[in-house]
Amino acid sequence: MTQEQKRDYRKEIEDLLSNYEDGWDIFTKAQDWSHPIRFKPDAKGHDLPDTWLGLADRVISIIAHGKYGLDTYPNSIWVITAEQMLDAYSSVGMPVNYDHWSIGKQRVQEGKNYNAGRSGLAYEIVINSSPSIAYCMTSNTTLMQMLVIAHASYGHNSFFKGNHLFRQFTNAETIIDELEHLRDSIKKYEDLYGIDEVEALLDAAHALENLGVNRYTKPKKRTPQEEAKRRADLEEIRLQNVNHVMDTVRGKPAPADDFNKSSSNVTIPADLEENLLKFLASYAPHLKEWERDLLRQLSDKAQYFYPQRQTQVMNEGWASFWHYTLLNDLYDLDLINDKMMLEFIDSHAGVLFQPDHDSRYYNGRFNPYALGFAIYQDIKRICENPTEEDRRWFPDLVGKEWLPTLKEAMQDYKDESFVLQYLSPKVMRDFHMFAVHDDEADDELEISAIHDDDAGYKHVRRVLASQYRLGDIEPCIEVAGYDYQDTRMLTLRHKMFNNKPLDKDNTTRVLKHLHYLWKHPVVVHSVDEEDTVADTLAIPRAAKDEGPKVGEKMRYTMHLTM
Amino acid sequence: MTQVVDRRAQPGTTTSSRERFVRRNKKHIKEAVDRAISNGNVTDIGSGGVDVTVPKRDLSEPIIHHGQGGINDRVHPGNKEFIKGDRLPRPQGGGGRGSGKGEASEDGEGEDDFTFHLSEEEFLNYLFDDLALPNLEEKKEADLERTKLAPAGIVSSGAPNKLHLLRSKRQKMGRVIAARKPWNDKILELLAEEKEILGSYDSDAPTEKIVSGLPKAWSPKRDQIRGLEKEVSSLKDKFGVAVSGEHAARIADIEIEIAAAKRGISLIPGWNESTDLKFRLSLPKPIPNSKAVMFCVMDVSGSMDEETKNKAKIFYFLLYRFLKRHYQKTDVVFIRHHTQAEEVNEHDFFYKKESGGTMVSSALTLMKNIMNQRYNDGNWNIYGAQASDGDNWESDNGKCRTLMDDILKDTQAYFYTEITDGSHQNLWRTYENVKSAYPEKFWMGHIVDRKDIFPVFREFFKRNGKDGQSVASQLKPQAYAIG
C-alpha cells in the first residue's frame, strides 16, 4: 500500500469545528444525537455537515482517513427506529427484499424475543454496498452513535473494501440494483404464475442456497453473446433429446451405440459442479425459463453472502479494533469526556465479553468480536513491543510498522488462515484455550492440548483454525453424476470431513426440495477420503438401491471438463 | 461524502412478508379461529386478536448441515484445571459443547411449536375473507330508480343560474392580460426611448448608460408604465423646451404611437360571452344505497338450553361483526322471543335470560311491524336472520308460513339456522316449504356443534367462484336513491 500523504488531522478537525458555535464541545455538550447544529456567522466551507451525526461522522472520518489511511466506500447513515431495526434483522439487514414468508416468520420471532426482553438489539447493521449503509438506531446515546459510526462506517466498511474475499466474490456497487432486480422479477413471476408456484420455488432454492455458491473459483461473468450462445446450445441439446424419442416412436433404429453409453455426452463445467443452484438452472430437465432465471439470481445472492461466513472473526475483530482505536483518539483529542469514555469502555467490554466454556452464556463458539479484536491488538503489540517468545514465533512481524502489517492481515486472509497465521501463544494463554478431541468411537472426550508448550500452542492453533474451515462449518457437497440416458437420476457426493455424517432429517427434507426442482430421483452419497460410500440418502427412497452400496466406491456417470 | 438519512418515518419493510407468513399458515389459523369461536365469550371473540400455534417443523427451513458423530476437534476458552491427556465423560446432547443450541420454551410453547399473534384486523380479515353480503354497490347502477344531481365540473355554456362568477372573472382577466401584453410592451419600449432622449439633455444625470429603463424587480406592467410616464413628464417639464430638431420630431412620433397603443388597449373587449363565461355542470349521478338493516331473531324459550343459545349467539356475533365491517350505515334490530316477542338491545339480546314456550310467529309479527314502522320508506335493504332450535308450537307453523310470505316480499334475504343436535324439528319442515317457494331469498343451515357454525356462516355468504358475489347476492337487491 502506498504511504498516504500525512495529513494534519488535528488541524483539520480544528478548522472544521471552528465553524460551529459549540466548537470543540459539540460532542460533549450534546444530550442526544438530535442536538441542534448552529453555525457561526463567519462559517466557511461549502460542504459543512449540518447534522450532529454528520459532524460526528466527519470528525471520525478525518481521523480514520487522515491519521490511519483507511480506505472506505462512501457512507450512508440511516437513522431508524427499533421496529425498523427488527425489520432489518429479519431480512439479514438488506434494504431491498422480496416478499417471503420466512421473513415474516423471522420478524415475528425477533419481535417476540425483543418484547420479552430476551434479546437486545445490536447497535448497528452495516451493508456491504457502495455507498455502505449503516443503520443507527434512534434510541442510541451520543456516544453509541459515535461508536456505531466508527465500528460500522469505518471498521466494517474498510474491511468490505479491502478484504480479498469480498473483493473477489461480491460487488458492492451493484448489489442493491441486483436485489431490486430480483425483487421485481419475483413480483413479475408471481403475477404471471401465481404466488404458490413462486413460493414453492423459493422454498426449494432457499434450502439449497448454501450449496448454490462457487467456493473456490470466482464465478465467471458471461458476456451477453456467450449467454445467448449457451442458451441456443442448450435448446439444441433439448431438441436432440426430443428427436431421439420421436425417432424411436417412428420405429427408426436406435441412435448410435456411443450415445447409449452411460457416460454420455453431457459434460458439466467445473464451476457448475460445486454450484448446485447454477447447475439446476442450466441442467434441470423440466424447469421453466422463469424458474431458471430465479435460480441464477438467487445463486448470485447467495454468492454475495458467501464471504461473510468465512470472515466473521476477522471482520468483527477489525471493526472492533477500529472503534476502539478511533474512540480513544477522540478521547485523546478531548472531543469526548471521561463520562462518555466510561460508557464506551462498558459497551466495549460488553461486546467483547468471552464467556468461559463452563459458563451458561457459552454457546460453543468463540465470540468473534473478542477473538478477532484480541488477535489484531496482538499483532500491533508484536510489531511494537515484541517479547522473546514473539521473536521466535513471529520473526516476520517484529519491528515492522504496525499499520501496514495490520492492513495486510485484514486484506489477504480468511478466518481459517488468519487464525493459523496470527494466533499467538499470548492470545491463547489469555483466553485459556484448550482443545477437546471428540471421537464417536470413544466413550469419553479427551483434552488433546492446552496452552502450555510449543506443541500445545501449535495443536490448539491448528484445531481452532480448522474450526473456521468451510468444510468444517458446513458439509461439502458437489454434483457427481447425472444419469442422463436412463433414470435421469442426479447424484451428489458429500466428501466427509473427519467422518462427520450429514444430519439425516434435514438433509432428507432438503433432498425433497431438490427433487421438486429436478423431478427425477436425487441421491446423496457420503464418501470418505477413498471415495468409499459411507451412507446414502435418496428421494424417492427406492433410488437408494440403484447406486453404489455402502462400502463400494463412487461411480461417476458424467464427464467433467474444466 | 457521507449522507445522513432519517428514515424513521418510513413504513415497515416486512409487512407484505408477514402477509405471506399468515397466508402460509391458513390451516393453523383456521384451527385457532375455530378455537376462539368455540371458547371465547360472544362479544370478545377476536377482540385483541388470537394466538396461532404452528408446529415448528412446518416453519423450519431445512438446510444441510452436519449431524452428530464423526470426529470433532474443538477449541474452547476458559481452561481452569485441564491438562493434556485428561479424559472426561461426553456431555449429553452435544459434542463437547458447553450448552446446547436448543431453545428453551419460555412462554409456555412446546419446543416444537411456534406461536404468533394474529391481530384483530388480521383475524377479521381471515374470518370474512371471500365473504360478502348481497352486495349493494355492485348492483346499484343497473337498478337505480332515482338519481341525484352532482357537481361534474365546469363548462362554457349553461343556464344563467349556473353561472360561476369567480371562474368567469378569472377567465376574463387571463384573456385581457394576454391581449394587452403586446400593447403594453410597446408602450414601455417607447417610453424608455423617450426617456433616454430627454435624459440626454440632463447634464446632472449619472454617466452610466441606462440599460432599459425597466425596473429590475417585477411589477405589473401598468405600474411600470405609470412610473415611466411620471419620469418622462418630469424630464419633459425640465428639458422639453430644450429639445429640438430630430429629437423633437421623434418624441412627437413616440407620443402618437403611445396614444395609438393605448387606444388599442381600450379596444380590448371587457367581457366576451363566448369565451369568458363559465358555468357549473351538474349531472345526474346514481347514489349508492348502502343502508341495510339486519333483523336478528332468536328463540330464547325454555327448549333452548344454555349451549344452544350460545351457539346462536356466536352465529349472530359473526353476523354482527360482518355487517358492521361491510356497511357504513347498518341498523341491527334484535328480536328475542318465546311465546311473546320483544325488541331488545344488543346486550340484552345476548345476555338476558328468559324462559317459556315457543311461538315463532310472535317474532315474525314483531319483525313485520318494525319493518312497516321504521324501514318502510323504500330506502332500506332488509335482511332477516333467525336462529332457533326448531321447536315450535305445531299450531303456530301455519301462521309462520303465511307471515313469511309477507316478510319475504320486502326483504332481500332471510337466513335461518337451526341449532339442534337431534333430527330436524317441525319449524325446519315448515321452512323447507318456504325455501322451495323462495329459493333465491331464503337460506337454511343446520348447526349441531360449535364447529358447524363457521361453515354454515360461510355457506350463506361465500362468494361463488364465477362472479365473485355471494350466493345470497344472486338475489336482486332493491336499490333506492336517497332524494
Side-chain angles (χ1 to χ4, degrees):
Chain A
M1 191 168 197
T2 55
Q3 188 67 30
E4 276 200 31
Q5 199 79 35
K6 265 269 185 277
R7 281 157 61 180
D8 188 349
Y9 68 95
R10 200 194 155 88
K11 170 118 193 354
E12 266 184 67
I13 295 174
E14 272 168 13
D15 288 350
L16 173 69
L17 293 180
S18 68
N19 291 305
Y20 297 89
E21 275 191 9
D22 289 327
W24 206 256
D25 301 327
I26 195 153
F27 300 121
T28 46
K29 259 177 126 174
Q31 292 302 309
D32 61 54
W33 60 267
S34 56
H35 186 76
I37 288 284
R38 279 189 300 272
F39 291 101
K40 281 188 188 158
D42 57 344
K44 53 190 180 297
H46 64 285
D47 60 348
L48 294 175
D50 54 1
T51 59
W52 188 91
L53 275 178
L55 190 61
D57 167 82
R58 181 67 65 85
V59 169
I60 293 169
S61 116
I62 291 173
I63 305 173
H65 293 143
K67 185 174 180 189
Y68 299 111
L70 289 183
D71 185 21
T72 56
Y73 292 118
N75 278 305
S76 186
I77 294 171
W78 290 8
V79 182
I80 60 170
T81 62
E83 288 289 309
Q84 288 168 320
M85 190 56 126
L86 288 170
D87 279 354
Y89 262 36
S90 319
S91 37
V92 234
M94 300 318 284
V96 180
N97 262 295
Y98 51 88
D99 299 337
H100 190 259
W101 63 270
S102 62
I103 294 174
K105 173 202 153 192
Q106 198 59 34
R107 179 65 176 79
V108 169
Q109 186 68 58
E110 300 288 356
K112 259 165 59 178
N113 287 345
Y114 178 61
N115 291 335
R118 229 175 288 160
S119 66
L121 292 175
Y123 305 120
E124 47 81 29
I125 290 184
V126 57
I127 313 286
N128 166 29
S129 59
S130 178
S132 171
I133 301 165
Y135 299 117
C136 285
M137 266 207 297
T138 175
S139 55
N140 288 350
T141 63
T142 52
L143 184 271
M144 282 314 303
Q145 300 292 30
M146 297 172 92
L147 195 159
V148 165
I149 291 170
H151 182 94
S153 302
Y154 294 91
H156 282 305
N157 186 342
S158 59
F159 192 87
F160 292 145
K161 195 167 180 193
N163 181 267
H164 79 292
L165 276 187
F166 282 89
R167 293 179 82 94
Q168 224 185 108
F169 286 96
T170 71
N171 194 343
E173 271 84 15
T174 57
I175 179 64
I176 302 291
D177 290 343
E178 282 170 29
L179 288 174
E180 275 172 0
H181 184 246
L182 174 60
R183 180 197 59 197
D184 295 346
S185 305
I186 286 176
K187 229 169 234 154
K188 185 176 79 190
Y189 296 142
E190 280 175 350
D191 288 346
L192 288 172
Y193 309 107
I195 292 176
D196 291 328
E197 282 281 297
V198 176
E199 189 171 282
L201 184 91
L202 290 177
D203 287 352
H206 288 173
L208 300 168
E209 221 162 42
N210 283 355
L211 309 177
V213 292
N214 290 92
R215 290 152 193 249
Y216 306 110
T217 46
K218 188 188 175 180
K220 211 178 103 208
K221 281 270 175 205
R222 292 191 190 88
T223 64
Q225 289 84 352
E226 284 170 336
E227 177 68 19
K229 180 173 182 310
R230 197 186 58 83
R231 288 195 185 199
D233 289 351
L234 278 176
E235 190 55 28
E236 181 67 18
I237 291 174
R238 260 176 239 150
L239 283 178
Q240 272 176 11
N241 291 346
V242 175
N243 290 342
H244 286 310
V245 174
M246 288 309 290
D247 286 350
T248 17
V249 172
R250 290 189 195 111
K252 284 197 181 171
D257 256 349
D258 60 332
F259 188 81
N260 272 335
K261 279 185 187 153
S262 62
S263 55
S264 72
N265 53 355
V266 176
T267 53
I268 312 288
D271 66 329
L272 289 193
E273 185 191 347
E274 55 174 346
N275 188 333
L276 195 55
L277 286 180
K278 288 255 164 87
F279 174 82
L280 290 168
S282 300
Y283 292 97
H286 306 293
L287 290 183
K288 298 180 190 77
E289 202 43 56
W290 68 266
E291 293 175 306
R292 296 177 198 276
D293 176 36
L294 281 191
L295 290 181
R296 279 194 198 98
Q297 290 194 46
L298 288 165
S299 167
D300 289 343
K301 181 178 159 231
Q303 194 78 55
Y304 168 83
F305 287 110
Y306 167 73
Q308 316 224 345
R309 297 206 295 274
Q310 297 183 75
T311 52
Q312 243 208 328
V313 172
M314 291 179 72
N315 199 345
E316 295 301 355
W318 177 259
S320 301
F321 178 88
W322 285 108
H323 79 228
Y324 182 78
T325 307
L326 293 170
L327 267 284
N328 270 299
D329 274 309
L330 292 177
Y331 183 62
D332 292 344
L333 287 168
D334 254 350
L335 284 165
I336 57 178
N337 58 25
D338 291 350
K339 183 167 151 269
M340 294 167 90
M341 202 55 190
L342 281 175
E343 188 194 342
F344 165 68
I345 291 167
D346 182 52
S347 282
H348 180 72
V351 170
L352 267 63
F353 176 59
Q354 175 61 64
D356 284 349
H357 71 98
D358 49 2
S359 155
R360 58 188 287 250
Y361 299 108
Y362 184 56
N363 66 359
R365 301 195 143 259
F366 279 88
N367 175 353
Y369 293 82
L371 184 59
F373 179 76
I375 296 178
Y376 284 114
Q377 281 287 21
D378 197 51
I379 295 173
K380 187 179 172 191
R381 181 192 61 79
I382 293 171
C383 290
E384 290 179 326
N385 302 304
T387 62
E388 205 41 54
E389 183 184 52
D390 297 325
R391 285 179 208 285
R392 257 189 316 122
W393 282 74
F394 301 101
D396 294 347
L397 297 186
V398 171
K400 283 262 188 70
E401 265 191 75
W402 70 269
L403 189 55
T405 312
L406 212 62
K407 284 181 184 169
E408 201 181 291
M410 173 273 279
Q411 284 161 358
D412 299 342
Y413 295 86
K414 54 184 172 182
D415 283 349
E416 182 192 355
S417 51
F418 180 69
V419 168
L420 205 55
Q421 184 74 21
Y422 291 109
L423 183 64
S424 74
K426 177 171 188 303
V427 173
M428 287 184 247
R429 278 195 301 274
D430 290 349
F431 278 95
H432 299 282
M433 290 184 184
F434 64 106
V436 180
H437 181 71
D438 173 6
D439 189 340
E440 202 181 4
D442 193 344
D443 292 345
E444 293 183 322
L445 309 179
E446 189 181 329
I447 308 294
S448 53
I450 65 162
H451 45 88
D452 51 2
D453 52 17
D454 278 10
Y457 292 134
K458 279 194 175 135
H459 185 88
V460 167
R461 184 159 78 174
R462 196 171 46 75
V463 171
L464 186 60
S466 79
Q467 263 171 253
Y468 296 104
R469 188 182 305 169
L470 212 55
D472 198 65
I473 300 173
E474 51 195 39
C476 172
I477 293 177
E478 293 173 345
V479 178
Y482 169 16
D483 184 1
Y484 168 70
Q485 284 307 309
D486 190 7
T487 60
R488 295 220 154 178
M489 184 160 83
L490 176 66
T491 307
L492 304 179
R493 177 189 46 206
H494 164 225
K495 280 196 232 164
M496 287 203 291
F497 177 78
N498 276 340
N499 282 331
K500 285 189 207 179
L502 294 174
D503 179 272
K504 282 206 170 121
D505 180 42
N506 271 290
T507 308
T508 309
R509 293 169 64 198
V510 171
L511 285 185
K512 279 181 189 158
H513 281 303
L514 178 58
H515 181 253
Y516 171 81
L517 298 174
W518 189 254
K519 297 187 172 64
H520 293 282
V522 289
V523 52
V524 55
H525 298 297
S526 297
V527 301
D528 63 14
E529 284 80 4
E530 274 90 47
D531 237 13
T532 308
V533 175
D535 195 13
T536 301
L537 294 168
I539 298 288
R541 264 164 223 272
K544 214 169 159 175
D545 305 328
E546 289 184 26
K549 305 280 174 296
V550 170
E552 292 176 10
K553 292 265 189 217
M554 273 291 280
R555 288 199 294 265
Y556 294 91
T557 51
M558 68 183 179
H559 289 308
L560 302 172
T561 57
M562 289 304 286
Chain B
M1 180 73 196
T2 301
Q3 297 171 288
V4 178
V5 189
D6 188 345
R7 294 180 70 92
R8 286 174 293 174
Q10 296 268 322
T13 53
T14 54
T15 323
S16 43
S17 282
R18 178 177 170 91
E19 279 163 21
R20 294 293 162 82
F21 174 70
V22 168
R23 179 179 176 277
R24 190 182 173 92
N25 291 298
K26 279 230 158 130
K27 193 180 87 198
H28 302 291
I29 291 172
K30 188 182 176 313
E31 287 162 12
V33 168
D34 285 350
R35 221 176 309 123
I37 289 175
S38 307
N39 303 337
N41 282 329
V42 172
T43 46
D44 295 341
I45 294 170
S47 67
V50 291
D51 281 331
V52 180
T53 303
V54 184
K56 268 222 169 87
R57 195 183 166 83
D58 284 17
L59 289 177
S60 74
E61 294 183 283
I63 52 163
I64 293 185
H65 57 75
H66 285 132
Q68 297 270 320
I71 298 165
N72 281 291
D73 282 308
R74 283 272 174 277
V75 173
H76 299 286
N79 182 19
K80 294 177 183 73
E81 72 276 20
F82 302 135
I83 56 165
K84 186 179 176 208
D86 278 358
R87 294 176 70 78
L88 5 150
R90 177 176 286 119
Q92 291 301 307
R97 294 197 171 173
S99 69
K101 269 169 128 185
E103 282 167 40
S105 75
E106 288 176 42
D107 46 356
E109 303 167 23
E111 195 174 351
D112 293 331
D113 290 338
F114 181 92
T115 301
F116 68 97
H117 188 78
L118 202 65
S119 72
E120 187 170 346
E121 177 70 19
E122 285 171 321
F123 173 84
L124 293 175
N125 261 335
Y126 173 80
L127 213 53
F128 300 126
D129 187 26
D130 292 335
L131 298 186
L133 265 194
N135 194 330
L136 306 176
E137 286 186 337
E138 285 173 30
K139 293 266 183 177
K140 71 189 179 228
E141 266 160 303
D143 299 337
L144 270 182
E145 291 169 1
R146 273 191 289 162
T147 56
K148 185 184 155 191
L149 287 176
I154 302 289
V155 290
S156 47
S157 66
N161 66 339
K162 292 281 182 188
L163 182 68
H164 195 308
L165 279 176
L166 205 66
R167 289 291 290 263
S168 304
K169 174 89 175 162
R170 197 202 291 169
Q171 183 71 19
K172 177 209 150 195
M173 281 170 71
R175 179 181 53 75
V176 170
I177 289 170
R180 275 181 186 160
K181 184 170 187 296
W183 297 117
N184 279 335
D185 285 350
K186 181 137 199 232
I187 294 173
L188 276 173
E189 211 175 283
L190 292 166
L191 280 172
E193 193 185 340
E194 186 176 355
K195 184 179 163 191
E196 203 182 329
I197 294 170
L198 288 167
S200 65
Y201 292 88
D202 186 357
S203 50
D204 299 338
T207 47
E208 72 256 43
K209 186 143 169 48
I210 299 163
V211 179
S212 68
L214 293 178
K216 264 191 191 148
W218 183 91
S219 59
K221 288 270 159 63
R222 194 165 34 178
D223 294 353
Q224 293 176 26
I225 290 171
R226 277 185 195 146
L228 267 179
E229 274 175 342
K230 221 178 261 170
E231 286 179 47
V232 167
S233 73
S234 74
L235 281 171
K236 218 170 166 184
D237 288 347
K238 281 191 210 158
F239 310 111
V241 286
V243 179
S244 62
E246 207 180 300
H247 282 166
R250 178 64 191 142
I251 285 175
D253 281 353
I254 284 173
E255 274 168 8
I256 290 167
E257 279 183 56
I258 287 176
K262 283 188 171 166
R263 199 161 53 250
I265 288 175
S266 72
L267 288 176
I268 294 170
W271 282 98
N272 182 337
E273 280 190 21
S274 63
T275 60
D276 294 348
L277 299 188
K278 296 290 170 196
F279 300 86
R280 291 186 180 88
L281 176 66
S282 299
L283 289 176
K285 202 180 165 191
I287 298 155
N289 182 355
S290 64
K291 273 163 92 176
V293 56
M294 189 94 185
F295 283 87
C296 296
V297 178
M298 183 160 68
D299 182 355
V300 290
S301 66
S303 56
M304 293 280 280
D305 61 24
E306 197 60 35
E307 178 54 23
T308 312
K309 276 186 205 166
N310 263 337
K311 286 173 199 156
K313 283 174 186 174
I314 293 167
F315 183 80
Y316 285 119
F317 163 76
L318 290 173
L319 213 53
Y320 184 63
R321 288 304 286 258
F322 186 56
L323 288 167
K324 278 204 154 177
R325 190 178 157 83
H326 276 256
Y327 294 92
Q328 286 187 336
K329 169 72 179 158
T330 308
D331 274 12
V332 182
V333 176
F334 296 102
I335 297 174
R336 36 183 283 156
H337 74 91
H338 37 99
T339 49
Q340 284 158 6
E342 58 176 335
E343 186 187 354
V344 292
N345 62 25
E346 183 184 342
H347 180 266
D348 289 352
F349 185 76
F350 284 131
Y351 290 111
K352 221 168 167 186
K353 289 180 178 158
E354 272 196 56
S355 55
T358 311
M359 268 175 67
V360 176
S361 62
S362 64
L364 297 182
T365 311
L366 181 59
M367 177 176 167
K368 186 66 199 159
N369 288 342
I370 295 173
M371 277 165 67
N372 288 342
Q373 284 160 21
R374 304 213 295 262
Y375 302 103
N376 65 342
D377 65 354
N379 288 341
W380 294 89
N381 292 282
I382 299 172
Y383 299 89
Q386 183 185 1
S388 165
D389 61 358
D391 199 9
N392 195 22
W393 284 8
E394 199 64 49
S395 59
D396 189 46
N397 285 332
K399 200 175 172 193
C400 288
R401 177 70 184 81
T402 327
L403 274 165
M404 236 354 145
D405 281 335
D406 210 8
I407 287 173
L408 286 175
K409 189 160 54 81
D410 294 327
T411 51
Q412 311 319 115
Y414 194 95
F415 306 100
Y416 171 63
T417 45
E418 185 173 272
I419 306 170
T420 163
D421 44 11
S423 52
H424 292 309
Q425 303 288 309
N426 50 24
L427 189 60
W428 180 275
R429 288 189 291 277
T430 307
Y431 277 171
E432 270 181 337
N433 292 333
V434 181
K435 170 89 180 143
S436 55
Y438 304 91
E440 293 185 329
K441 280 192 173 186
F442 196 84
W443 299 90
M444 294 168 74
H446 185 211
I447 292 171
V448 177
D449 217 338
R450 278 191 174 208
K451 67 176 166 34
D452 298 334
I453 300 171
F454 200 58
V456 165
F457 182 74
R458 288 186 80 92
E459 191 57 36
F460 282 162
F461 294 109
K462 86 174 173 204
R463 291 169 187 274
N464 70 351
K466 263 197 253 163
D467 58 356
Q469 296 204 359
S470 80
V471 174
S473 70
Q474 288 167 349
L475 354 155
K476 212 171 178 189
Q478 285 165 263
Y480 307 93
I482 311 158

